[in-house]
Structure formats: structure tokens, C-alpha cells
Amino acid sequence: MDKRYIRLFENFYSDRASLVWEFGNLENHFEMKAQIPSIYQDVWHVIDYRVSECVIDICRFDESKKERIDHLEHESLYGWEYASSLVLDDSEFEDKIKNFYSNLGCIIGVIHGLECAAGSSYTEISSIELRTEFENVFWKKASPKFKKAQKLFRELLSLMDDKISKIRSSFVKNKVPISLPHTPEHAMLPEEKAFYHQAKAVWDKEDYIDIEGNVNYLWVYVQELLANRNSASTESLIEKFMNLCERYYTETTFFISCNSYIEDLALERGDVKRYLDWSEMQRIYGQCSLSSHERVGIALLENIPLHPIDLILATGGYYSKFIRDNYALYKVCLYQAFYRYDKKHGWFNLLQKLPKAEYSYAVQLYRGLPVVCESDVFTDFNASSELVTDTLTQVCKEAEKTAIEMKLSGRSRLIEYHQRLFEYLKGYLPQLSMFLEARPLFANGEIIPIYISYRDIAICKADVESKCDCAEVQRRKIRFVNIDLEPNAIVKEIKKLILT
């Protein structure tokens, strides 16, 4: 298949997946009867844009429309205007698009009508009673209109899938039929479906089949597992996901994303400690505000000790060339500096001094898949507060100073050995997710030099196990490997533990 066409297909299925995800969020608003302002934003600034992108993607396959598309890209048009003007020669497509947009417009019309009657926008209504009345009337009037919009959405999506399927059917098939990204099972060609069911039978037995780089088969299988997750135990699902990740670790994008879904499974099932241990941040500088904010928020909600790296990444942290070149050493010194501050002042005490957050949030689980799921709500904190950033910078500088002193005096050799051993193990066992100098909750503040997260294998000194949380170790069946063994012996021990 010509690479140009592959890109066009990839664009369509990517935009289609985004459209299904966003419409799923909108459906969730109506199901939960919540977040009226978000409905307005989702309809006009998200759904409108995503639908038009899908229509444009389909039209790009028609060479005769290339000039028209190029011209429209320079016009200031709303998404629905852009899309409709491209399908004037296709009455069925044009009608589906117009009917769908018209119905969404009716939902927004309900909001405008109620705001006109109230004399102010919904967000400006201060009275709880008036706001409740506004919401009740909106859900009563808008819900029937949205049900019709759902029906029209499915029809429009089906029509787009049919058109793209006809375009694809003419392309040459390989030994493993090409399955382009974001192609759902119902949109697969017959030969794709046949191979998928063959692969699915193999994966159900937790075995391996060569997919020749067609990662979409894996994604479809993962989505199917998640869609039916309520009928399976947590352990069996996690085991399936781990096996998939480890067998197809060379598919980098799948490996990274699917690993995060293992963490999401733990959080969704209420296993917060396992979630926090498995999702521990590995970077120690820069900003990763979304994940780190979520982890801090969850720890505060559950009254669980805060992880130093989460606080650092939530604020942007502190950086120097020495830190970059001595990652593991600085990380250990950072743990020590944070422990000293926590013992003297308390991180919880510091965060409690911050102004109350205006909003509450929930962690979005299974990001990138059409599975709308959220964790328990937690309250955000103001990471930009000078009180937090100044304190963090002071503690980070103290840790850096200690690390420099250890480096100059030669006391950093043990940590440097841990780093070399880590690289060695990653070379032998690249399919495993490993953390260097981790501080999981089950370790009760002890540092685990190398932690194989999803397998819950801790590589550390022999006496560390006795200092860990016994109940947590037994619950999760955490295994320990003596770090003083020869590297080859450690590899053999890890392999043996994985098989048992």
C-alpha cells in the first residue's frame, strides 16, 4: 500500500477514535446529569471539530476534491460548514451531517433559552436553588433531544465506516492482513476479522502469534478485555495485560500505553497502593503536571505518604547538569532530604496551608481508548504557590549538595553499581518494566535499588524484606531477590519467579 494512503487511513482512524472518545464523554455527562458548561464546550469545540475532521479525511481520498480542500483550509469556517461544503455531491452524506449538527444545535438552544429566561448565563447564577431549577429543566428538555442525537451519531459513524471500508477493500493484502490504527472490529475487512479471531484465540490462551507490526489487532483485543472487565477478576486481567505487554514489548507505543492501563486497572478496582507503586514517576526534573497532580491528589485523599518526585514534577522542580548526569545518586539524596523535611515540618502540613482548590478532579482512566471511566474525585492543590515552590527548591538544592559531596568523597560507588546493574538487567530483560532507586509504599520508606513494578519483584539487600509492610507483601505476593548475587544469578532468579 502506498505510504501516502496509509497516512490518510491513519488520520481517519485517529480522528474517528477521538470523535468516539469525545462523544462518549458527552454521553457520560447526560447519563450522570452533570457539568452543563462542559456540554456546551464539548458540542461546539470538540464534537463539531472531530466530525468535520473525519469527513475531510474521507474526502482526501478523492483526488478531484484536493483543490477544494486546499481552498477551504484558508477560509474561516465552522467545522460543520467546512464538512457540508465538501459533500454537496453526496446527498446521503450531506443529509446525515446536517441532521446530526441540527440536532446538536437544538441541545445548545435549550441552554441559550434557559439563560435568556434567567437573564444570565448558567455559570453566573449564584443561587443554589435557581441553579438547581435551571439544571432540572435543562435535563428534562435536552435529554430527549440528545437521545435522537445519539441515534444520528451512530448512523453518521456507520456511513463513514462504510465509505472508508469500500476505499480500503481495493488494497493488496499481506500474509497478515494490514489492520490500520484505530480500526474497530466492526470496521475490519473480512480477512482482517478472520485473522483477529485467530489471534484472539491465541491470546486467550496467553500465547504468542506474529502480527507483523499490525498493532491494531492488539488494541482491539485490549478494548474488548476492558469492555468486559467487570466479569473478570483483577488478578486475571492484570496477568493478561502483563503477558501482552511482555510478549509484544518491541511494539513501543503499545508497550508504553498498555502498561499504563495495568495501573488504571489497579486504581479502578480500588487498589490505590498498588497503583501508586506501579505508576511511580521516573523523571526527577521537568514538569509532568497531569500525572504528578493526580498522584499527589490521590495520596492526600487516601492519607498516604507523599512521594517526593510527585511534588517536584507537579511544580516543575529543580534542574542542573549534575542532576542530569547523576540521576540515581541525586534521587537517593533527594529521598533523604525530603525525609528530613517531612520529619521536621511535614509535607501534609505545608499543603494544608495552601488556599482551598476551587475545583475537584477525577483521574481519567484508560486514556486514548473509547472507555469512559474515572477514579474517585480528589481535590487539586495550587502547585504554583511560592510557599511550595520555594520550599521544594530549597530541599532539592540540599539534596544536590549532598550528592556532590558523596561523589567527590567516593561514597556514591554503591549507587553507581545499582545503576550499572539496572542497565544490565534491562539489556537481558527488556520486556519488563523496571524502576531504579524506587520508593514503593510497601517498603515503609526503604529504597528498593531495582523494582520490577508489575511483577512486584524487589531487588535489594537481604535485610530489607524484614523492614517492609508484611501485610502488603503477603497481600500482593511481593517477591525479593538478593542484590548481592552475581548479575547472571539475579537474571536467572527473576526468570524463575516470573514463571512461578
Side-chain angles (χ1 to χ4, degrees):
M1 185 185 293
D2 190 300
K3 287 184 178 180
R4 182 170 64 89
Y5 289 113
I6 290 178
R7 284 196 297 272
L8 292 179
F9 282 122
E10 288 177 346
N11 289 341
F12 169 77
Y13 284 112
S14 176
D15 289 330
R16 184 194 185 281
S18 298
L19 171 61
V20 171
W21 167 263
E22 299 297 349
F23 199 80
N25 285 334
L26 191 59
E27 289 176 318
N28 195 47
H29 292 326
F30 274 89
E31 182 180 343
M32 304 298 293
K33 291 186 166 48
Q35 299 182 342
I36 290 177
S38 294
I39 290 174
Y40 183 87
Q41 294 295 322
D42 285 349
V43 168
W44 289 120
H45 298 290
V46 179
I47 306 297
D48 171 50
Y49 171 75
R50 293 299 180 191
V51 170
S52 65
E53 284 297 296
C54 287
V55 174
I56 295 165
D57 291 337
I58 292 172
C59 290
R60 286 189 190 279
F61 285 95
D62 187 343
E63 291 293 334
S64 66
K65 292 183 178 180
K66 184 179 183 304
E67 189 175 335
R68 178 69 175 155
I69 292 172
D70 292 341
H71 171 73
L72 290 172
E73 282 181 341
H74 300 289
E75 298 291 322
S76 299
L77 298 174
Y78 289 109
W80 66 271
E81 292 178 317
Y82 193 164
S84 298
S85 63
L86 284 175
V87 295
L88 295 176
D89 57 340
D90 188 332
S91 59
E92 183 184 13
F93 208 2
E94 183 184 11
D95 288 344
K96 294 287 186 189
I97 293 169
K98 286 185 176 179
N99 288 339
F100 176 65
Y101 278 124
S102 175
N103 206 264
L104 288 183
C106 290
I107 295 170
I108 299 303
V110 173
I111 296 178
H112 288 322
L114 291 173
E115 288 181 336
C116 287
S120 64
S121 68
Y122 169 78
T123 54
E124 293 172 347
I125 299 175
S126 57
S127 168
I128 296 177
E129 291 181 358
L130 291 176
R131 182 172 282 214
T132 302
E133 182 182 353
F134 186 106
E135 291 170 352
N136 290 337
V137 174
F138 172 77
W139 297 121
K140 183 178 180 180
K141 290 186 175 182
S143 293
K145 298 181 186 298
F146 184 67
K147 284 184 179 179
K148 187 176 180 182
Q150 285 177 298
K151 181 175 180 294
L152 293 170
F153 174 73
R154 287 192 291 269
E155 291 176 357
L156 178 58
L157 204 62
S158 176
L159 180 61
M160 290 194 292
D161 287 342
D162 182 59
K163 287 184 175 297
I164 210 74
S165 178
K166 288 177 180 176
I167 294 170
R168 291 178 54 217
S169 61
S170 60
F171 289 97
V172 177
K173 292 82 180 175
N174 291 358
K175 183 179 178 182
V176 174
I178 292 175
S179 188
L180 295 166
H182 311 294
T183 307
E185 183 183 357
H186 68 82
M188 288 180 178
L189 299 175
E191 55 271 28
E192 284 179 85
K193 284 187 180 180
F195 179 81
Y196 171 66
H197 286 287
Q198 178 189 351
K200 181 184 170 185
V202 172
W203 294 329
D204 283 342
K205 296 175 183 177
E206 298 188 358
D207 211 337
Y208 174 84
I209 184 172
D210 188 1
I211 57 172
E212 296 182 1
N214 289 274
V215 186
N216 186 63
Y217 291 118
L218 285 168
W219 285 124
V220 173
Y221 184 66
V222 164
Q223 291 180 42
E224 187 173 329
L225 288 177
L226 289 175
N228 300 309
R229 65 190 182 281
N230 292 332
S231 60
S233 70
T234 303
E235 297 306 322
S236 65
L237 275 174
I238 288 174
E239 187 69 24
K240 276 186 177 294
F241 273 68
M242 282 196 299
N243 285 328
L244 284 173
C245 287
E246 290 170 10
R247 285 185 171 87
Y248 296 94
Y249 72 92
T250 54
E251 305 293 347
T252 309
T253 304
F254 174 79
F255 180 72
I256 293 171
S257 298
C258 194
N259 273 337
S260 70
Y261 300 150
I262 298 174
E263 299 158 13
D264 290 345
L265 275 168
L267 183 58
E268 185 186 10
R269 297 295 173 93
D271 199 340
V272 175
K273 288 186 177 180
R274 186 147 61 168
Y275 166 78
L276 291 173
D277 284 352
W278 287 357
S279 63
E280 181 179 304
M281 308 302 293
Q282 294 308 291
R283 287 165 47 203
I284 53 175
Y285 50 82
Q287 195 153 9
C288 188
S289 58
L290 182 59
S291 297
S292 46
H293 267 73
E294 290 174 350
R295 286 174 50 82
V296 172
I298 291 169
L300 290 172
L301 179 68
E302 299 289 336
N303 199 29
I304 289 174
L306 300 174
H307 197 291
I309 308 300
D310 293 328
L311 285 172
I312 290 174
L313 293 182
T315 61
Y318 175 73
Y319 172 80
S320 71
K321 185 178 182 298
F322 177 85
I323 292 172
R324 185 195 67 192
D325 296 339
N326 299 272
Y327 163 81
L329 174 61
Y330 171 73
K331 195 175 182 182
V332 171
C333 294
L334 195 61
Y335 289 149
Q336 297 168 351
F338 266 71
Y339 173 75
R340 287 193 293 270
Y341 179 90
D342 196 32
K343 192 173 181 180
K344 188 174 181 180
H345 304 287
W347 287 109
F348 276 97
N349 294 334
L350 176 66
L351 295 181
Q352 285 171 357
K353 293 176 184 177
L354 298 176
K356 291 290 183 182
E358 185 178 352
Y359 301 105
S360 292
Y361 298 87
V363 180
Q364 293 288 331
L365 305 179
Y366 313 118
R367 286 189 177 96
L369 296 179
V371 180
V372 180
C373 183
E374 294 181 341
S375 72
D376 291 336
V377 172
F378 67 86
T379 302
D380 197 9
F381 70 101
N382 182 8
S384 62
S385 167
E386 288 186 8
L387 184 64
V388 174
T389 55
D390 290 350
T391 303
L392 283 172
T393 301
Q394 178 185 342
V395 173
C396 289
K397 286 183 176 179
E398 180 188 334
E400 182 187 28
K401 181 181 177 182
T402 304
I404 292 172
E405 291 172 354
M406 288 183 67
K407 184 82 173 176
L408 293 173
S409 65
R411 290 181 290 125
S412 62
R413 288 177 188 149
L414 180 61
I415 298 168
E416 290 165 356
Y417 170 73
H418 293 167
Q419 192 161 0
R420 291 195 303 274
L421 178 61
F422 176 81
E423 297 300 331
Y424 175 85
L425 295 178
K426 286 295 291 182
Y428 267 87
L429 303 164
Q431 74 274 27
L432 299 179
S433 174
M434 296 184 193
F435 297 164
L436 175 62
E437 306 298 352
R439 204 185 75 164
L441 291 166
F442 71 79
N444 281 338
E446 293 292 316
I447 298 173
I448 304 297
I450 300 172
Y451 174 47
I452 302 175
S453 56
Y454 306 128
R455 291 290 180 179
D456 268 338
I457 297 174
I459 303 168
C460 54
K461 291 282 187 181
D463 63 339
V464 171
E465 182 175 358
S466 62
K467 301 174 185 177
C468 294
D469 184 337
C470 293
E472 191 68 7
V473 168
Q474 290 176 4
R475 182 182 74 86
R476 287 162 52 179
K477 298 181 175 63
I478 296 167
R479 284 80 57 84
F480 294 82
V481 176
N482 191 341
I483 199 168
D484 291 330
L485 293 173
E486 289 293 321
N488 282 339
I490 293 176
V491 171
K492 290 178 182 178
E493 189 66 21
I494 292 170
K495 287 181 177 179
K496 185 171 74 173
L497 290 174
I498 289 173
L499 294 173
T500 57

